[in-house]
Coordinates of all heavy atoms in Angstrom, one line a residue:
M10 N -15.4 -46.1 26.3 CA -14.5 -45.1 27.0 C -13.4 -44.6 26.1 O -13.1 -43.4 26.2 CB -13.9 -45.8 28.2 CG -14.8 -45.8 29.5 SD -15.4 -44.2 29.9 CE -14.6 -43.9 31.4
A11 N -12.9 -45.4 25.2 CA -11.8 -45.0 24.4 C -12.3 -43.8 23.5 O -11.5 -42.9 23.1 CB -11.3 -46.1 23.6
D12 N -13.6 -43.8 23.1 CA -14.1 -42.8 22.2 C -14.1 -41.4 22.9 O -13.7 -40.4 22.3 CB -15.5 -43.1 21.7 CG -15.5 -44.3 20.7 OD1 -14.4 -44.5 20.1 OD2 -16.5 -45.0 20.7
Q13 N -14.4 -41.4 24.2 CA -14.5 -40.2 25.0 C -13.0 -39.7 25.2 O -12.8 -38.5 25.1 CB -15.1 -40.4 26.3 CG -16.6 -40.6 26.2 CD -17.3 -40.8 27.5 OE1 -16.6 -41.1 28.5 NE2 -18.6 -40.7 27.5
V14 N -12.1 -40.6 25.4 CA -10.7 -40.2 25.6 C -10.2 -39.6 24.3 O -9.5 -38.6 24.3 CB -9.9 -41.4 26.1 CG1 -8.4 -41.1 26.1 CG2 -10.4 -41.8 27.5
E15 N -10.5 -40.3 23.2 CA -10.0 -39.8 21.9 C -10.6 -38.4 21.6 O -9.8 -37.5 21.2 CB -10.5 -40.7 20.8 CG -9.3 -41.5 20.1 CD -9.8 -42.4 19.1 OE1 -10.5 -42.0 18.1 OE2 -9.6 -43.6 19.2
K16 N -11.8 -38.2 21.9 CA -12.5 -36.9 21.7 C -11.8 -35.8 22.6 O -11.6 -34.7 22.1 CB -14.0 -36.9 22.0 CG -14.7 -37.6 20.9 CD -16.2 -37.7 21.2 CE -17.0 -38.4 20.2 NZ -18.4 -38.5 20.5
A17 N -11.5 -36.2 23.8 CA -10.9 -35.2 24.7 C -9.5 -34.9 24.2 O -9.0 -33.7 24.3 CB -10.8 -35.8 26.1
E18 N -8.7 -35.9 23.8 CA -7.4 -35.7 23.3 C -7.4 -34.7 22.0 O -6.6 -33.8 21.9 CB -6.7 -37.0 22.9 CG -6.3 -37.8 24.1 CD -5.7 -39.1 23.7 OE1 -5.7 -39.5 22.5 OE2 -5.2 -39.8 24.6
R19 N -8.4 -35.0 21.1 CA -8.5 -34.1 20.0 C -8.9 -32.7 20.3 O -8.4 -31.7 19.7 CB -9.6 -34.7 19.0 CG -9.1 -35.9 18.3 CD -10.2 -36.4 17.3 NE -9.8 -37.7 16.8 CZ -10.7 -38.5 16.2 NH1 -11.9 -38.1 16.1 NH2 -10.2 -39.6 15.7
A20 N -9.8 -32.5 21.3 CA -10.1 -31.2 21.8 C -9.0 -30.5 22.4 O -8.7 -29.3 22.1 CB -11.3 -31.3 22.8
V21 N -8.2 -31.1 23.2 CA -7.0 -30.5 23.8 C -6.0 -30.1 22.7 O -5.4 -29.0 22.7 CB -6.4 -31.4 24.9 CG1 -5.0 -30.9 25.3 CG2 -7.3 -31.5 26.1
S22 N -5.8 -31.0 21.8 CA -4.9 -30.8 20.7 C -5.3 -29.5 19.9 O -4.5 -28.7 19.5 CB -4.8 -32.0 19.8 OG -4.0 -31.7 18.7
A23 N -6.6 -29.5 19.6 CA -7.1 -28.4 18.8 C -7.0 -27.0 19.6 O -6.6 -26.0 19.0 CB -8.6 -28.6 18.4
L24 N -7.2 -27.1 20.9 CA -7.1 -25.9 21.7 C -5.6 -25.4 21.8 O -5.4 -24.2 21.7 CB -7.7 -26.1 23.1 CG -9.2 -26.1 23.2 CD1 -9.6 -26.5 24.6 CD2 -9.8 -24.8 22.8
M25 N -4.7 -26.3 21.9 CA -3.3 -26.0 22.0 C -2.9 -25.4 20.6 O -2.2 -24.4 20.6 CB -2.5 -27.2 22.3 CG -2.6 -27.8 23.7 SD -2.0 -26.6 24.9 CE -0.3 -26.8 24.6
R26 N -3.3 -26.0 19.5 CA -2.9 -25.5 18.2 C -3.5 -24.1 18.0 O -2.9 -23.2 17.5 CB -3.3 -26.4 17.1 CG -2.5 -27.7 17.0 CD -2.8 -28.5 15.9 NE -4.1 -29.1 16.1 CZ -4.9 -29.4 15.1 NH1 -4.6 -29.3 13.8 NH2 -6.1 -29.9 15.3
L27 N -4.8 -23.9 18.4 CA -5.4 -22.6 18.3 C -4.7 -21.6 19.1 O -4.5 -20.4 18.7 CB -6.9 -22.7 18.7 CG -7.6 -21.4 18.7 CD1 -7.7 -20.8 17.3 CD2 -9.0 -21.6 19.2
G28 N -4.3 -21.9 20.4 CA -3.6 -21.0 21.3 C -2.3 -20.5 20.7 O -2.0 -19.4 20.6
I29 N -1.5 -21.5 20.2 CA -0.2 -21.2 19.6 C -0.4 -20.4 18.3 O 0.3 -19.4 18.1 CB 0.6 -22.5 19.4 CG1 1.0 -23.1 20.7 CG2 1.8 -22.2 18.5 CD1 1.6 -24.4 20.6
S30 N -1.4 -20.7 17.5 CA -1.6 -20.0 16.3 C -2.1 -18.6 16.5 O -1.9 -17.7 15.7 CB -2.5 -20.8 15.3 OG -3.8 -20.8 15.8
A31 N -2.7 -18.4 17.7 CA -3.2 -17.0 18.0 C -2.1 -16.2 18.6 O -2.0 -15.0 18.4 CB -4.4 -17.1 18.9
V32 N -1.2 -16.8 19.3 CA -0.1 -16.1 20.0 C 1.0 -15.7 19.1 O 1.5 -14.6 19.2 CB 0.5 -17.0 21.2 CG1 1.7 -16.4 21.7 CG2 -0.6 -17.1 22.3
L33 N 1.3 -16.5 18.1 CA 2.4 -16.2 17.2 C 2.3 -14.8 16.5 O 3.2 -14.0 16.4 CB 2.7 -17.3 16.2 CG 3.6 -18.4 16.8 CD1 3.7 -19.5 15.7 CD2 4.9 -17.9 17.1
P34 N 1.1 -14.6 15.9 CA 1.0 -13.3 15.2 C 1.0 -12.1 16.2 O 1.6 -11.0 15.9 CB -0.4 -13.3 14.5 CG -0.7 -14.8 14.4 CD 0.0 -15.4 15.5
L35 N 0.5 -12.3 17.4 CA 0.6 -11.2 18.4 C 2.1 -11.0 18.8 O 2.5 -9.8 19.0 CB -0.2 -11.5 19.6 CG -1.7 -11.6 19.4 CD1 -2.4 -12.0 20.7 CD2 -2.2 -10.2 19.0
W36 N 2.8 -12.1 19.0 CA 4.2 -11.9 19.3 C 5.0 -11.3 18.2 O 5.9 -10.4 18.4 CB 4.8 -13.4 19.6 CG 6.2 -13.4 20.0 CD1 6.9 -12.5 20.7 CD2 7.1 -14.5 19.8 NE1 8.2 -13.0 20.9 CE2 8.3 -14.2 20.4 CE3 6.9 -15.8 19.2 CZ2 9.4 -15.1 20.3 CZ3 8.0 -16.6 19.2 CH2 9.2 -16.3 19.8
A37 N 4.7 -11.6 17.0 CA 5.3 -11.0 15.8 C 5.0 -9.5 15.8 O 5.9 -8.7 15.5 CB 4.8 -11.7 14.5
L38 N 3.8 -9.1 16.0 CA 3.4 -7.7 16.0 C 4.2 -7.0 17.1 O 4.7 -5.9 16.8 CB 1.9 -7.5 16.3 CG 1.4 -6.1 16.2 CD1 1.6 -5.5 14.9 CD2 -0.1 -6.1 16.6
L39 N 4.4 -7.6 18.2 CA 5.2 -6.9 19.3 C 6.7 -6.8 18.9 O 7.2 -5.7 19.1 CB 5.2 -7.8 20.6 CG 6.0 -7.3 21.7 CD1 5.5 -6.0 22.3 CD2 6.0 -8.4 22.8
M40 N 7.2 -7.8 18.2 CA 8.6 -7.6 17.7 C 8.7 -6.6 16.6 O 9.7 -5.9 16.6 CB 9.1 -9.0 17.2 CG 9.4 -10.0 18.3 SD 10.3 -11.4 17.8 CE 9.0 -12.3 17.0
I41 N 7.7 -6.5 15.8 CA 7.8 -5.4 14.7 C 7.7 -4.1 15.4 O 8.4 -3.1 15.0 CB 6.6 -5.7 13.7 CG1 6.9 -6.9 12.9 CG2 6.4 -4.5 12.8 CD1 5.8 -7.4 12.0
I42 N 6.8 -3.9 16.4 CA 6.8 -2.6 17.1 C 8.1 -2.3 17.8 O 8.6 -1.2 17.7 CB 5.6 -2.7 18.1 CG1 4.3 -2.7 17.4 CG2 5.7 -1.5 19.1 CD1 3.1 -2.9 18.3
L43 N 8.7 -3.3 18.4 CA 10.1 -3.1 19.0 C 11.1 -2.7 17.9 O 11.9 -1.8 18.2 CB 10.5 -4.3 19.7 CG 9.9 -4.6 21.0 CD1 10.3 -6.0 21.5 CD2 10.2 -3.6 22.1
G44 N 11.0 -3.3 16.8 CA 11.9 -3.0 15.7 C 11.8 -1.5 15.2 O 12.7 -0.8 14.9
I45 N 10.5 -1.1 15.1 CA 10.2 0.3 14.7 C 10.7 1.3 15.8 O 11.3 2.3 15.5 CB 8.8 0.4 14.3 CG1 8.4 -0.4 13.1 CG2 8.4 1.9 14.1 CD1 7.0 -0.5 12.7
E46 N 10.3 0.9 17.0 CA 10.6 1.8 18.1 C 12.1 2.0 18.3 O 12.6 3.1 18.5 CB 10.0 1.3 19.4 CG 10.2 2.2 20.6 CD 9.5 1.7 21.8 OE1 8.5 1.0 21.7 OE2 10.0 2.0 22.9
Y47 N 12.9 0.9 18.3 CA 14.3 1.0 18.5 C 15.1 1.1 17.2 O 16.3 1.1 17.3 CB 14.8 -0.2 19.3 CG 14.3 -0.3 20.8 CD1 13.5 -1.3 21.2 CD2 14.6 0.8 21.6 CE1 13.0 -1.3 22.5 CE2 14.1 0.7 22.9 CZ 13.3 -0.3 23.3 OH 12.8 -0.3 24.6
R48 N 14.4 1.1 16.1 CA 15.1 1.2 14.8 C 16.1 0.0 14.6 O 17.2 0.2 14.2 CB 15.7 2.5 14.6 CG 14.7 3.7 14.6 CD 15.4 5.0 14.5 NE 14.4 6.0 14.7 CZ 14.3 7.1 14.0 NH1 15.0 7.3 12.9 NH2 13.3 8.0 14.3
S49 N 15.6 -1.1 15.0 CA 16.5 -2.3 15.0 C 16.0 -3.2 13.8 O 14.9 -3.7 13.8 CB 16.4 -3.1 16.3 OG 17.0 -4.3 16.2
L50 N 16.9 -3.5 12.9 CA 16.6 -4.4 11.8 C 16.4 -5.8 12.3 O 15.6 -6.6 11.7 CB 17.6 -4.3 10.7 CG 17.7 -3.0 9.9 CD1 18.8 -3.1 8.9 CD2 16.4 -2.8 9.2
W51 N 17.1 -6.2 13.4 CA 17.0 -7.5 14.0 C 15.6 -7.8 14.4 O 14.9 -8.8 14.1 CB 18.0 -7.7 15.1 CG 17.8 -9.0 15.8 CD1 17.1 -9.1 17.0 CD2 18.1 -10.3 15.4 NE1 17.1 -10.4 17.4 CE2 17.7 -11.2 16.4 CE3 18.7 -10.8 14.3 CZ2 17.9 -12.5 16.3 CZ3 18.9 -12.1 14.2 CH2 18.5 -13.0 15.2
W52 N 15.0 -6.9 15.2 CA 13.6 -7.1 15.7 C 12.6 -7.0 14.6 O 11.7 -7.8 14.6 CB 13.3 -6.0 16.8 CG 13.8 -6.2 18.1 CD1 14.8 -5.5 18.7 CD2 13.5 -7.3 19.0 NE1 15.0 -6.0 20.0 CE2 14.2 -7.1 20.2 CE3 12.6 -8.3 19.0 CZ2 14.2 -8.0 21.3 CZ3 12.5 -9.2 20.1 CH2 13.3 -9.0 21.2
L53 N 12.8 -6.1 13.7 CA 11.9 -6.0 12.5 C 11.9 -7.2 11.7 O 10.9 -7.8 11.3 CB 12.3 -4.7 11.7 CG 11.3 -4.3 10.7 CD1 9.9 -3.9 11.3 CD2 11.8 -3.1 9.9
G54 N 13.1 -7.7 11.3 CA 13.2 -8.9 10.5 C 12.7 -10.1 11.2 O 11.9 -10.9 10.6
T55 N 13.0 -10.3 12.4 CA 12.5 -11.4 13.2 C 11.0 -11.4 13.3 O 10.3 -12.4 13.2 CB 13.2 -11.5 14.6 OG1 14.6 -11.4 14.4 CG2 12.8 -12.7 15.3
G56 N 10.5 -10.2 13.6 CA 9.0 -10.0 13.6 C 8.3 -10.4 12.3 O 7.3 -11.1 12.4
L57 N 8.9 -10.0 11.2 CA 8.3 -10.4 9.9 C 8.3 -11.9 9.7 O 7.4 -12.4 9.2 CB 9.0 -9.6 8.8 CG 8.8 -8.1 8.8 CD1 9.7 -7.5 7.7 CD2 7.4 -7.8 8.5
V58 N 9.4 -12.5 10.0 CA 9.6 -14.0 9.8 C 8.6 -14.7 10.8 O 7.8 -15.6 10.3 CB 11.0 -14.4 10.1 CG1 11.1 -16.0 10.1 CG2 11.9 -13.9 9.0
V59 N 8.5 -14.3 12.0 CA 7.6 -15.0 13.0 C 6.2 -14.7 12.5 O 5.3 -15.6 12.6 CB 7.9 -14.5 14.4 CG1 6.8 -15.0 15.4 CG2 9.2 -15.0 14.9
G60 N 5.9 -13.5 12.0 CA 4.6 -13.2 11.6 C 4.1 -14.0 10.4 O 3.0 -14.5 10.3
A61 N 5.1 -14.3 9.5 CA 4.8 -15.1 8.3 C 4.5 -16.5 8.8 O 3.5 -17.2 8.3 CB 5.9 -15.1 7.3
I62 N 5.2 -17.0 9.7 CA 5.0 -18.4 10.2 C 3.7 -18.4 11.0 O 2.9 -19.4 10.9 CB 6.2 -18.8 11.1 CG1 7.4 -19.0 10.3 CG2 5.8 -20.1 11.9 CD1 8.7 -19.2 11.1
G63 N 3.4 -17.4 11.8 CA 2.2 -17.3 12.5 C 1.0 -17.3 11.6 O -0.1 -17.9 11.9
I64 N 1.0 -16.5 10.5 CA -0.1 -16.5 9.6 C -0.3 -17.9 9.0 O -1.5 -18.3 8.8 CB 0.1 -15.4 8.5 CG1 0.0 -14.0 9.2 CG2 -0.8 -15.6 7.3 CD1 0.4 -12.9 8.3
L65 N 0.8 -18.6 8.6 CA 0.6 -19.9 8.1 C -0.1 -20.9 9.1 O -0.9 -21.6 8.8 CB 1.9 -20.5 7.7 CG 2.6 -19.9 6.5 CD1 4.0 -20.5 6.2 CD2 1.7 -20.2 5.3
F66 N 0.4 -20.8 10.4 CA -0.2 -21.6 11.5 C -1.7 -21.2 11.7 O -2.5 -22.1 11.9 CB 0.5 -21.4 12.8 CG 1.8 -22.3 12.8 CD1 2.6 -22.2 13.9 CD2 2.1 -23.2 11.9 CE1 3.8 -22.9 14.0 CE2 3.3 -23.9 11.9 CZ 4.1 -23.8 13.0
L67 N -2.0 -19.9 11.6 CA -3.4 -19.5 11.8 C -4.3 -19.9 10.7 O -5.4 -20.3 10.9 CB -3.4 -17.9 11.9 CG -4.7 -17.3 12.4 CD1 -5.1 -17.9 13.8 CD2 -4.6 -15.8 12.5
A68 N -3.7 -19.9 9.5 CA -4.5 -20.4 8.3 C -4.8 -21.9 8.4 O -5.8 -22.4 8.0 CB -3.8 -20.1 7.0
G69 N -3.9 -22.6 9.1 CA -4.1 -24.1 9.3 C -4.7 -24.5 10.6 O -4.8 -25.6 10.9
S70 N -5.2 -23.5 11.3 CA -5.7 -23.8 12.7 C -7.1 -24.4 12.5 O -7.8 -24.3 11.5 CB -5.8 -22.5 13.5 OG -6.9 -21.7 13.1
P71 N -7.6 -25.0 13.6 CA -8.9 -25.7 13.6 C -10.0 -24.6 13.3 O -11.0 -25.0 12.7 CB -9.1 -26.3 14.9 CG -7.7 -26.4 15.5 CD -6.9 -25.3 14.8
V72 N -9.9 -23.4 13.8 CA -10.9 -22.4 13.6 C -11.0 -22.0 12.1 O -12.1 -21.9 11.6 CB -10.6 -21.2 14.5 CG1 -11.6 -20.1 14.2 CG2 -10.8 -21.6 16.0
A73 N -9.9 -21.9 11.5 CA -9.9 -21.6 10.1 C -10.5 -22.7 9.3 O -11.2 -22.5 8.3 CB -8.4 -21.3 9.6
N74 N -10.3 -23.9 9.7 CA -10.9 -25.1 9.0 C -12.4 -25.1 9.2 O -13.2 -25.4 8.3 CB -10.3 -26.4 9.5 CG -8.9 -26.6 9.1 OD1 -8.5 -26.1 8.1 ND2 -8.2 -27.4 9.8
L75 N -12.9 -24.7 10.4 CA -14.3 -24.6 10.6 C -14.9 -23.5 9.8 O -16.0 -23.7 9.2 CB -14.6 -24.3 12.1 CG -14.3 -25.5 13.1 CD1 -14.5 -25.0 14.5 CD2 -15.2 -26.7 12.7
I76 N -14.3 -22.4 9.7 CA -14.8 -21.3 8.9 C -14.9 -21.7 7.4 O -15.9 -21.4 6.7 CB -14.0 -20.0 9.1 CG1 -14.1 -19.5 10.5 CG2 -14.3 -18.9 8.1 CD1 -13.1 -18.4 10.9
E77 N -13.9 -22.4 6.9 CA -13.8 -22.8 5.5 C -14.9 -23.8 5.2 O -15.5 -23.8 4.2 CB -12.4 -23.4 5.2 CG -12.2 -23.8 3.8 CD -12.3 -22.6 2.8 OE1 -11.9 -21.5 3.2 OE2 -12.8 -22.7 1.7
R78 N -15.2 -24.7 6.2 CA -16.3 -25.7 6.0 C -17.6 -25.1 5.9 O -18.5 -25.5 5.2 CB -16.3 -26.7 7.1 CG -15.1 -27.7 7.1 CD -15.2 -28.7 8.2 NE -13.9 -29.3 8.3 CZ -13.5 -29.9 9.4 NH1 -14.2 -29.9 10.5 NH2 -12.3 -30.5 9.4
E79 N -17.9 -24.0 6.6 CA -19.1 -23.3 6.6 C -19.4 -22.6 5.3 O -20.5 -22.4 4.9 CB -19.2 -22.3 7.7 CG -19.3 -23.0 9.1 CD -19.4 -22.0 10.2 OE1 -19.4 -20.7 9.9 OE2 -19.4 -22.4 11.4
R80 N -18.4 -22.2 4.6 CA -18.6 -21.5 3.3 C -18.9 -22.5 2.3 O -19.5 -22.9 1.6 CB -17.3 -20.8 2.8 CG -16.9 -19.7 3.7 CD -15.7 -19.0 3.2 NE -15.3 -17.9 4.0 CZ -14.3 -17.2 3.9 NH1 -13.5 -17.4 2.9 NH2 -14.0 -16.2 4.7

């Protein structure tokens, strides 16, 4: 039973990390668009920082690891 529970925990963890790593770049894009639309350096700068962090998370996501293993 412990093996099934461990597998379930890993699957949930991977899905959560994938969800967050997919949401961050989208959120960053929205902030960059707001910065351009309102000509706000705050939104633009924050969007760029969040985008950089989101790209790092996306590169370290489980899906990116699966793609890398297939190559």
Side-chain angles (χ1 to χ4, degrees):
M10 280 306 246
D12 291 332
Q13 290 179 345
V14 171
E15 246 179 60
K16 287 181 183 178
E18 286 176 355
R19 286 184 188 161
V21 169
S22 174
L24 286 173
M25 290 294 288
R26 287 186 292 154
L27 177 62
I29 290 171
S30 66
V32 167
L33 276 177
L35 294 175
W36 182 28
L38 184 62
L39 177 67
M40 287 193 284
I41 290 170
I42 290 170
L43 284 172
I45 292 169
E46 183 178 332
Y47 293 119
R48 298 176 191 227
S49 170
L50 290 177
W51 171 258
W52 281 112
L53 192 60
T55 306
L57 291 173
V58 169
V59 171
I62 293 169
I64 289 172
L65 289 175
F66 280 174
L67 192 58
S70 75
V72 171
N74 289 337
L75 288 176
I76 294 169
E77 184 64 32
R78 287 182 195 157
E79 290 178 5
R80 291 183 184 176

